[in-house]
Amino acid sequence: MRAVQVTEFGGPEVLVPTELDAPTAGPGQLLVEVSAAGVNFADTHRTDGSYRGGVTLPFVPGVEIVGRTRLRPGLVNYGNAGW
């Protein structure tokens, strides 16, 4: 999958486009095929190493996403979740 990954702390130059293995959904989880992701203010602190609580490298920033959920084998159709 395509992603932006941070492998070292710094400014915007450490946001590196890369190819990663596609994740798999575990028990009780859904996989989301992300169409777009935003890098927000908290991500800038995570990227430069100033985020309270620390950050483990490497990481993929962007918790604000839009995408489609993908059912995995054995998961019951959950219908409209109200979003």
Side-chain angles (χ1 to χ4, degrees), residues 36-62:
V39 176
N40 65 25
F41 185 69
D43 289 321
T44 63
H45 285 287
R46 292 176 68 211
T47 300
D48 70 14
S50 65
Y51 191 76
R52 286 182 68 168
V55 176
T56 302
L57 294 173
F59 71 91
V60 175

PDB file of all heavy atoms in Angstrom, residues 36-62:
ATOM      1  N   ALA A  36      -8.208   9.181   1.366  1.00  0.00           N
ATOM      2  CA  ALA A  36      -7.459  10.400   1.660  1.00  0.00           C
ATOM      3  C   ALA A  36      -7.233  10.480   3.161  1.00  0.00           C
ATOM      4  O   ALA A  36      -8.061  10.026   3.951  1.00  0.00           O
ATOM      5  CB  ALA A  36      -8.230  11.637   1.184  1.00  0.00           C
ATOM      6  N   ALA A  37      -6.103  11.059   3.545  1.00  0.00           N
ATOM      7  CA  ALA A  37      -5.778  11.241   4.965  1.00  0.00           C
ATOM      8  C   ALA A  37      -5.189  12.627   5.149  1.00  0.00           C
ATOM      9  O   ALA A  37      -4.464  13.124   4.291  1.00  0.00           O
ATOM     10  CB  ALA A  37      -4.790  10.188   5.441  1.00  0.00           C
ATOM     11  N   GLY A  38      -5.509  13.232   6.275  1.00  0.00           N
ATOM     12  CA  GLY A  38      -4.962  14.540   6.581  1.00  0.00           C
ATOM     13  C   GLY A  38      -3.877  14.430   7.641  1.00  0.00           C
ATOM     14  O   GLY A  38      -3.942  13.586   8.523  1.00  0.00           O
ATOM     15  N   VAL A  39      -2.865  15.259   7.521  1.00  0.00           N
ATOM     16  CA  VAL A  39      -1.842  15.370   8.554  1.00  0.00           C
ATOM     17  C   VAL A  39      -2.207  16.612   9.358  1.00  0.00           C
ATOM     18  O   VAL A  39      -2.189  17.728   8.846  1.00  0.00           O
ATOM     19  CB  VAL A  39      -0.431  15.486   7.946  1.00  0.00           C
ATOM     20  CG1 VAL A  39       0.614  15.689   9.014  1.00  0.00           C
ATOM     21  CG2 VAL A  39      -0.113  14.234   7.124  1.00  0.00           C
ATOM     22  N   ASN A  40      -2.592  16.411  10.629  1.00  0.00           N
ATOM     23  CA  ASN A  40      -3.090  17.528  11.431  1.00  0.00           C
ATOM     24  C   ASN A  40      -2.025  18.084  12.372  1.00  0.00           C
ATOM     25  O   ASN A  40      -0.871  17.652  12.354  1.00  0.00           O
ATOM     26  CB  ASN A  40      -4.357  17.106  12.195  1.00  0.00           C
ATOM     27  CG  ASN A  40      -4.085  16.031  13.222  1.00  0.00           C
ATOM     28  OD1 ASN A  40      -2.985  15.878  13.726  1.00  0.00           O
ATOM     29  ND2 ASN A  40      -5.105  15.269  13.540  1.00  0.00           N
ATOM     30  N   PHE A  41      -2.426  19.027  13.217  1.00  0.00           N
ATOM     31  CA  PHE A  41      -1.493  19.710  14.112  1.00  0.00           C
ATOM     32  C   PHE A  41      -0.782  18.736  15.039  1.00  0.00           C
ATOM     33  O   PHE A  41       0.427  18.828  15.257  1.00  0.00           O
ATOM     34  CB  PHE A  41      -2.243  20.775  14.916  1.00  0.00           C
ATOM     35  CG  PHE A  41      -1.353  21.611  15.790  1.00  0.00           C
ATOM     36  CD1 PHE A  41      -0.456  22.501  15.238  1.00  0.00           C
ATOM     37  CD2 PHE A  41      -1.412  21.478  17.169  1.00  0.00           C
ATOM     38  CE1 PHE A  41       0.371  23.265  16.044  1.00  0.00           C
ATOM     39  CE2 PHE A  41      -0.595  22.238  17.979  1.00  0.00           C
ATOM     40  CZ  PHE A  41       0.302  23.135  17.417  1.00  0.00           C
ATOM     41  N   ALA A  42      -1.512  17.778  15.604  1.00  0.00           N
ATOM     42  CA  ALA A  42      -0.882  16.792  16.491  1.00  0.00           C
ATOM     43  C   ALA A  42       0.166  15.970  15.739  1.00  0.00           C
ATOM     44  O   ALA A  42       1.209  15.621  16.304  1.00  0.00           O
ATOM     45  CB  ALA A  42      -1.936  15.878  17.097  1.00  0.00           C
ATOM     46  N   ASP A  43      -0.098  15.678  14.470  1.00  0.00           N
ATOM     47  CA  ASP A  43       0.880  14.935  13.675  1.00  0.00           C
ATOM     48  C   ASP A  43       2.178  15.715  13.503  1.00  0.00           C
ATOM     49  O   ASP A  43       3.252  15.120  13.446  1.00  0.00           O
ATOM     50  CB  ASP A  43       0.308  14.586  12.301  1.00  0.00           C
ATOM     51  CG  ASP A  43      -0.771  13.532  12.363  1.00  0.00           C
ATOM     52  OD1 ASP A  43      -0.627  12.578  13.153  1.00  0.00           O
ATOM     53  OD2 ASP A  43      -1.758  13.656  11.616  1.00  0.00           O
ATOM     54  N   THR A  44       2.100  17.040  13.416  1.00  0.00           N
ATOM     55  CA  THR A  44       3.332  17.827  13.288  1.00  0.00           C
ATOM     56  C   THR A  44       4.182  17.683  14.542  1.00  0.00           C
ATOM     57  O   THR A  44       5.408  17.632  14.465  1.00  0.00           O
ATOM     58  CB  THR A  44       3.045  19.324  13.005  1.00  0.00           C
ATOM     59  OG1 THR A  44       2.347  19.899  14.101  1.00  0.00           O
ATOM     60  CG2 THR A  44       2.248  19.508  11.731  1.00  0.00           C
ATOM     61  N   HIS A  45       3.542  17.585  15.711  1.00  0.00           N
ATOM     62  CA  HIS A  45       4.298  17.368  16.949  1.00  0.00           C
ATOM     63  C   HIS A  45       4.866  15.955  16.995  1.00  0.00           C
ATOM     64  O   HIS A  45       5.988  15.747  17.465  1.00  0.00           O
ATOM     65  CB  HIS A  45       3.419  17.626  18.176  1.00  0.00           C
ATOM     66  CG  HIS A  45       3.196  19.076  18.420  1.00  0.00           C
ATOM     67  ND1 HIS A  45       4.183  19.908  18.909  1.00  0.00           N
ATOM     68  CD2 HIS A  45       2.111  19.851  18.236  1.00  0.00           C
ATOM     69  CE1 HIS A  45       3.704  21.135  19.021  1.00  0.00           C
ATOM     70  NE2 HIS A  45       2.450  21.127  18.607  1.00  0.00           N
ATOM     71  N   ARG A  46       4.100  14.984  16.536  1.00  0.00           N
ATOM     72  CA  ARG A  46       4.615  13.613  16.485  1.00  0.00           C
ATOM     73  C   ARG A  46       5.816  13.540  15.548  1.00  0.00           C
ATOM     74  O   ARG A  46       6.803  12.876  15.841  1.00  0.00           O
ATOM     75  CB  ARG A  46       3.520  12.649  16.011  1.00  0.00           C
ATOM     76  CG  ARG A  46       2.388  12.493  16.998  1.00  0.00           C
ATOM     77  CD  ARG A  46       1.270  11.613  16.466  1.00  0.00           C
ATOM     78  NE  ARG A  46       1.728  10.245  16.335  1.00  0.00           N
ATOM     79  CZ  ARG A  46       1.284   9.400  15.407  1.00  0.00           C
ATOM     80  NH1 ARG A  46       0.382   9.787  14.530  1.00  0.00           N
ATOM     81  NH2 ARG A  46       1.747   8.171  15.350  1.00  0.00           N
ATOM     82  N   THR A  47       5.738  14.247  14.423  1.00  0.00           N
ATOM     83  CA  THR A  47       6.800  14.217  13.423  1.00  0.00           C
ATOM     84  C   THR A  47       8.088  14.863  13.928  1.00  0.00           C
ATOM     85  O   THR A  47       9.178  14.373  13.657  1.00  0.00           O
ATOM     86  CB  THR A  47       6.323  14.912  12.128  1.00  0.00           C
ATOM     87  OG1 THR A  47       5.178  14.209  11.640  1.00  0.00           O
ATOM     88  CG2 THR A  47       7.392  14.915  11.066  1.00  0.00           C
ATOM     89  N   ASP A  48       7.968  15.955  14.684  1.00  0.00           N
ATOM     90  CA  ASP A  48       9.195  16.618  15.155  1.00  0.00           C
ATOM     91  C   ASP A  48       9.674  16.107  16.516  1.00  0.00           C
ATOM     92  O   ASP A  48      10.674  16.568  17.055  1.00  0.00           O
ATOM     93  CB  ASP A  48       9.044  18.143  15.159  1.00  0.00           C
ATOM     94  CG  ASP A  48       8.106  18.697  16.223  1.00  0.00           C
ATOM     95  OD1 ASP A  48       7.744  17.962  17.165  1.00  0.00           O
ATOM     96  OD2 ASP A  48       7.747  19.884  16.114  1.00  0.00           O
ATOM     97  N   GLY A  49       8.950  15.128  17.100  1.00  0.00           N
ATOM     98  CA  GLY A  49       9.385  14.515  18.346  1.00  0.00           C
ATOM     99  C   GLY A  49       8.945  15.233  19.607  1.00  0.00           C
ATOM    100  O   GLY A  49       9.357  14.867  20.704  1.00  0.00           O
ATOM    101  N   SER A  50       8.080  16.238  19.484  1.00  0.00           N
ATOM    102  CA  SER A  50       7.666  17.013  20.658  1.00  0.00           C
ATOM    103  C   SER A  50       6.304  16.590  21.210  1.00  0.00           C
ATOM    104  O   SER A  50       5.777  17.246  22.103  1.00  0.00           O
ATOM    105  CB  SER A  50       7.645  18.505  20.314  1.00  0.00           C
ATOM    106  OG  SER A  50       6.665  18.789  19.336  1.00  0.00           O
ATOM    107  N   TYR A  51       5.739  15.514  20.713  1.00  0.00           N
ATOM    108  CA  TYR A  51       4.426  15.055  21.171  1.00  0.00           C
ATOM    109  C   TYR A  51       4.528  14.502  22.578  1.00  0.00           C
ATOM    110  O   TYR A  51       5.408  13.691  22.875  1.00  0.00           O
ATOM    111  CB  TYR A  51       3.895  13.980  20.211  1.00  0.00           C
ATOM    112  CG  TYR A  51       2.456  13.615  20.419  1.00  0.00           C
ATOM    113  CD1 TYR A  51       1.443  14.457  19.995  1.00  0.00           C
ATOM    114  CD2 TYR A  51       2.105  12.418  21.024  1.00  0.00           C
ATOM    115  CE1 TYR A  51       0.110  14.118  20.165  1.00  0.00           C
ATOM    116  CE2 TYR A  51       0.777  12.067  21.201  1.00  0.00           C
ATOM    117  CZ  TYR A  51      -0.210  12.930  20.771  1.00  0.00           C
ATOM    118  OH  TYR A  51      -1.525  12.589  20.938  1.00  0.00           O
ATOM    119  N   ARG A  52       3.636  14.954  23.458  1.00  0.00           N
ATOM    120  CA  ARG A  52       3.640  14.466  24.838  1.00  0.00           C
ATOM    121  C   ARG A  52       3.341  12.977  24.861  1.00  0.00           C
ATOM    122  O   ARG A  52       2.420  12.517  24.219  1.00  0.00           O
ATOM    123  CB  ARG A  52       2.601  15.207  25.669  1.00  0.00           C
ATOM    124  CG  ARG A  52       3.018  16.613  25.999  1.00  0.00           C
ATOM    125  CD  ARG A  52       2.004  17.288  26.853  1.00  0.00           C
ATOM    126  NE  ARG A  52       1.969  16.658  28.172  1.00  0.00           N
ATOM    127  CZ  ARG A  52       1.356  17.163  29.212  1.00  0.00           C
ATOM    128  NH1 ARG A  52       0.720  18.306  29.107  1.00  0.00           N
ATOM    129  NH2 ARG A  52       1.364  16.540  30.362  1.00  0.00           N
ATOM    130  N   GLY A  53       4.104  12.247  25.616  1.00  0.00           N
ATOM    131  CA  GLY A  53       3.907  10.806  25.701  1.00  0.00           C
ATOM    132  C   GLY A  53       4.838  10.038  24.785  1.00  0.00           C
ATOM    133  O   GLY A  53       4.924   8.829  24.882  1.00  0.00           O
ATOM    134  N   GLY A  54       5.488  10.740  23.902  1.00  0.00           N
ATOM    135  CA  GLY A  54       6.451  10.084  23.024  1.00  0.00           C
ATOM    136  C   GLY A  54       5.830   9.387  21.838  1.00  0.00           C
ATOM    137  O   GLY A  54       4.626   9.192  21.757  1.00  0.00           O
ATOM    138  N   VAL A  55       6.674   9.015  20.912  1.00  0.00           N
ATOM    139  CA  VAL A  55       6.265   8.353  19.677  1.00  0.00           C
ATOM    140  C   VAL A  55       7.300   7.284  19.356  1.00  0.00           C
ATOM    141  O   VAL A  55       8.493   7.498  19.533  1.00  0.00           O
ATOM    142  CB  VAL A  55       6.197   9.367  18.506  1.00  0.00           C
ATOM    143  CG1 VAL A  55       5.873   8.681  17.205  1.00  0.00           C
ATOM    144  CG2 VAL A  55       5.191  10.453  18.795  1.00  0.00           C
ATOM    145  N   THR A  56       6.844   6.152  18.886  1.00  0.00           N
ATOM    146  CA  THR A  56       7.749   5.088  18.462  1.00  0.00           C
ATOM    147  C   THR A  56       7.926   5.162  16.955  1.00  0.00           C
ATOM    148  O   THR A  56       6.942   5.199  16.212  1.00  0.00           O
ATOM    149  CB  THR A  56       7.177   3.711  18.857  1.00  0.00           C
ATOM    150  OG1 THR A  56       6.980   3.684  20.271  1.00  0.00           O
ATOM    151  CG2 THR A  56       8.113   2.600  18.463  1.00  0.00           C
ATOM    152  N   LEU A  57       9.159   5.219  16.507  1.00  0.00           N
ATOM    153  CA  LEU A  57       9.464   5.231  15.077  1.00  0.00           C
ATOM    154  C   LEU A  57       9.593   3.799  14.580  1.00  0.00           C
ATOM    155  O   LEU A  57      10.024   2.927  15.327  1.00  0.00           O
ATOM    156  CB  LEU A  57      10.775   5.981  14.830  1.00  0.00           C
ATOM    157  CG  LEU A  57      10.770   7.474  15.133  1.00  0.00           C
ATOM    158  CD1 LEU A  57      12.176   8.040  15.003  1.00  0.00           C
ATOM    159  CD2 LEU A  57       9.820   8.218  14.212  1.00  0.00           C
ATOM    160  N   PRO A  58       9.274   3.529  13.330  1.00  0.00           N
ATOM    161  CA  PRO A  58       8.610   4.408  12.371  1.00  0.00           C
ATOM    162  C   PRO A  58       7.108   4.444  12.637  1.00  0.00           C
ATOM    163  O   PRO A  58       6.557   3.582  13.307  1.00  0.00           O
ATOM    164  CB  PRO A  58       8.900   3.741  11.034  1.00  0.00           C
ATOM    165  CG  PRO A  58       8.998   2.287  11.358  1.00  0.00           C
ATOM    166  CD  PRO A  58       9.571   2.215  12.755  1.00  0.00           C
ATOM    167  N   PHE A  59       6.441   5.468  12.086  1.00  0.00           N
ATOM    168  CA  PHE A  59       4.988   5.550  12.177  1.00  0.00           C
ATOM    169  C   PHE A  59       4.432   6.211  10.925  1.00  0.00           C
ATOM    170  O   PHE A  59       5.155   6.867  10.177  1.00  0.00           O
ATOM    171  CB  PHE A  59       4.525   6.305  13.434  1.00  0.00           C
ATOM    172  CG  PHE A  59       4.791   7.786  13.414  1.00  0.00           C
ATOM    173  CD1 PHE A  59       3.845   8.668  12.930  1.00  0.00           C
ATOM    174  CD2 PHE A  59       5.984   8.290  13.894  1.00  0.00           C
ATOM    175  CE1 PHE A  59       4.082  10.032  12.911  1.00  0.00           C
ATOM    176  CE2 PHE A  59       6.228   9.661  13.887  1.00  0.00           C
ATOM    177  CZ  PHE A  59       5.274  10.533  13.394  1.00  0.00           C
ATOM    178  N   VAL A  60       3.145   5.982  10.705  1.00  0.00           N
ATOM    179  CA  VAL A  60       2.427   6.585   9.589  1.00  0.00           C
ATOM    180  C   VAL A  60       1.479   7.623  10.179  1.00  0.00           C
ATOM    181  O   VAL A  60       0.559   7.262  10.911  1.00  0.00           O
ATOM    182  CB  VAL A  60       1.641   5.525   8.775  1.00  0.00           C
ATOM    183  CG1 VAL A  60       0.805   6.183   7.690  1.00  0.00           C
ATOM    184  CG2 VAL A  60       2.598   4.500   8.180  1.00  0.00           C
ATOM    185  N   PRO A  61       1.705   8.924   9.914  1.00  0.00           N
ATOM    186  CA  PRO A  61       0.814   9.951  10.463  1.00  0.00           C
ATOM    187  C   PRO A  61      -0.516   9.979   9.730  1.00  0.00           C
ATOM    188  O   PRO A  61      -0.639   9.437   8.633  1.00  0.00           O
ATOM    189  CB  PRO A  61       1.597  11.247  10.225  1.00  0.00           C
ATOM    190  CG  PRO A  61       2.442  10.963   9.029  1.00  0.00           C
ATOM    191  CD  PRO A  61       2.772   9.495   9.102  1.00  0.00           C
ATOM    192  N   GLY A  62      -1.485  10.622  10.353  1.00  0.00           N
ATOM    193  CA  GLY A  62      -2.784  10.805   9.710  1.00  0.00           C
ATOM    194  C   GLY A  62      -3.867   9.956  10.319  1.00  0.00           C
ATOM    195  O   GLY A  62      -4.061   8.805   9.922  1.00  0.00           O
TER     196      GLY A  62
END
